[in-house]
Amino acid sequence: MSVRPATHAGSWYSGDGTRLRSQIAKYFAAAATVTSPIPGARILVGPHAGYAYLGPRLAETFAAWDTLKVRRVFVLGPSHHVYFRQRALVLAYAAYDTPVGQLPVDTEVCAKLCAGLLAPFGYMLEAVDDDEHSFEMHAPFIAQRAQEAGVEVKIVPIMISGLSPELREKVVAALAPYMEQEENTFVVLSDFCHWGRRFGYTEYVPGQDLAQCAEYLARRQGSNEIWQSIEFLDRLAMEIALGGKTKLWDEYIEETGNTICGQKPLGIVLRLLEKGGTGGGGFKWLGYSQSSQVTDPHDSSVLYASGYAVVG
């Protein structure tokens, strides 16, 4: 089995290892003012775009990571270029290359997940993986954080596309035993709202009070800048994810149509947390930012959030 090349290095982020390591270290230094390793924080969520846009958010995500017992990292992300619905897909490569060092893939776990004709997992084509950017954007942060913590980790990248309720339950059932083991971390790759005509989403919510979501939604009066409306939609999603109820998450996505690209991986992990009975609820949020503050209907923006959940 071959090594997956860093196909977006030199464009979405620096391909120079020394420069990239220094850049990530600066992001981590800034994130230390927001958070530090949190006991039991082995469920993480962070965005996946160019580091110029979201480096601080990714650093917050991985600064919270409890690496004390970690040996394996399940990375769940969306598919941006191909659609499939019969199975979730795992990596066919033996390792992920990054400018700051390779990340070995746990090929044994990948094989177990794919075993059997009725398994809810299959292998993704190498060309599909090479085109996908989301997993690659997290890989250098995982590699550098693990190196700094002095731990060796293997990764299990899982790509999600079409996801029926039945397939989600099968995926959850297959992953649940790994969630129970303290050596496993789960990382969700997700940007939040993609707003603008080029994304096919221009939802606008009127109102003024962004601090009181339920009251604000009931009033629906007054006016906001577009970027404030977008933030409201995202903050409401974050509030629901904090509550940890999969049913409410599904209803929110159905009602708002919010273009959260990792909504399905998030739903899987919320279901894992819900079934695990950890008592810790859902995701706690660390940071939120927008690629631009939209004031004109012809503009567009992508939104980024960092967070974690505690297990155990």
Side-chain angles (χ1 to χ4, degrees), residues 145-196:
R145 180 75 171 82
Q147 291 164 11
E148 291 175 354
V151 295
E152 295 182 2
V153 299
K154 293 184 178 181
I155 60 172
V156 183
I158 299 173
M159 185 183 288
I160 309 295
S161 183
L163 188 72
S164 66
E166 294 77 17
L167 179 57
R168 181 169 71 183
E169 288 304 303
K170 291 178 181 179
V171 169
V172 167
L175 295 179
Y178 297 101
M179 176 72 82
E180 295 173 0
Q181 300 168 359
E182 291 183 310
E183 66 187 30
N184 294 319
T185 288
F186 283 73
V187 179
V188 178
L189 316 178
S190 185
D191 300 336
F192 269 69
C193 185
H194 296 60
W195 196 94

Side-chain angles (χ1 to χ4, degrees), residues 4-15:
R4 194 268 190 194
T7 54
H8 292 72
S11 54
W12 289 55
Y13 61 98
S14 176

Side-chain angles (χ1 to χ4, degrees), residues 54-74:
L54 52 71
R57 301 290 81 78
L58 274 183
E60 291 162 356
T61 294
F62 288 102
W65 185 15
D66 182 356
T67 60
L68 185 60
K69 298 180 180 179
V70 65
R71 295 293 179 269
R72 187 181 298 108
V73 182
F74 290 80

Side-chain angles (χ1 to χ4, degrees), residues 71-275:
R71 295 293 179 269
R72 187 181 298 108
V73 182
F74 290 80
V75 188
L76 288 78
S79 173
H80 287 86
H81 302 291
V82 297
Y83 178 79
F84 50 90
R85 63 179 184 177
Q86 301 300 325
R87 294 178 176 179
L89 301 182
V90 299
L91 197 66
Y93 284 110
Y96 237 77
D97 195 20
T98 87
V100 299
Q102 284 189 3
L103 280 172
V105 173
D106 195 324
T107 55
E108 182 178 342
V109 168
C110 289
K112 286 181 179 179
L113 292 174
C114 295
L117 293 176
L118 300 179
F121 293 90
Y123 284 102
M124 70 179 85
L125 296 174
E126 291 184 354
V128 170
D129 193 0
D130 292 352
D131 286 343
E132 180 60 50
H133 64 274
S134 58
F135 297 90
E136 184 177 339
M137 303 313 295
H138 280 237
F141 277 82
I142 294 172
Q144 187 154 327
R145 180 75 171 82
Q147 291 164 11
E148 291 175 354
V151 295
E152 295 182 2
V153 299
K154 293 184 178 181
I155 60 172
V156 183
I158 299 173
M159 185 183 288
I160 309 295
S161 183
L163 188 72
S164 66
E166 294 77 17
L167 179 57
R168 181 169 71 183
E169 288 304 303
K170 291 178 181 179
V171 169
V172 167
L175 295 179
Y178 297 101
M179 176 72 82
E180 295 173 0
Q181 300 168 359
E182 291 183 310
E183 66 187 30
N184 294 319
T185 288
F186 283 73
V187 179
V188 178
L189 316 178
S190 185
D191 300 336
F192 269 69
C193 185
H194 296 60
W195 196 94
R197 292 178 180 174
R198 69 190 183 99
F199 298 118
Y201 189 74
T202 54
E203 180 72 12
Y204 177 80
V205 180
Q208 294 178 338
D209 186 357
L210 297 177
Q212 302 296 325
C213 287
E215 180 184 350
Y216 172 47
L217 188 59
R219 287 203 310 269
R220 302 181 73 87
Q221 64 184 11
S223 62
N224 311 312
E225 293 285 0
I226 295 172
W227 68 267
Q228 293 174 307
S229 170
I230 299 168
E231 180 170 348
F232 164 72
L233 288 167
D234 277 346
R235 294 287 185 183
L236 183 56
M238 293 161 73
E239 185 177 284
I240 291 169
L242 171 65
K245 300 297 183 184
T246 313
K247 181 176 183 294
L248 295 180
W249 178 256
D250 292 344
E251 289 175 351
Y252 167 84
I253 296 298
E254 178 67 25
E255 290 173 6
T256 67
N258 195 348
T259 47
I260 301 170
C261 57
Q263 60 184 254
K264 292 172 183 176
L266 268 166
I268 289 172
V269 173
L270 283 171
R271 187 73 177 125
L272 282 165
L273 289 168
E274 195 173 42
K275 291 190 69 173

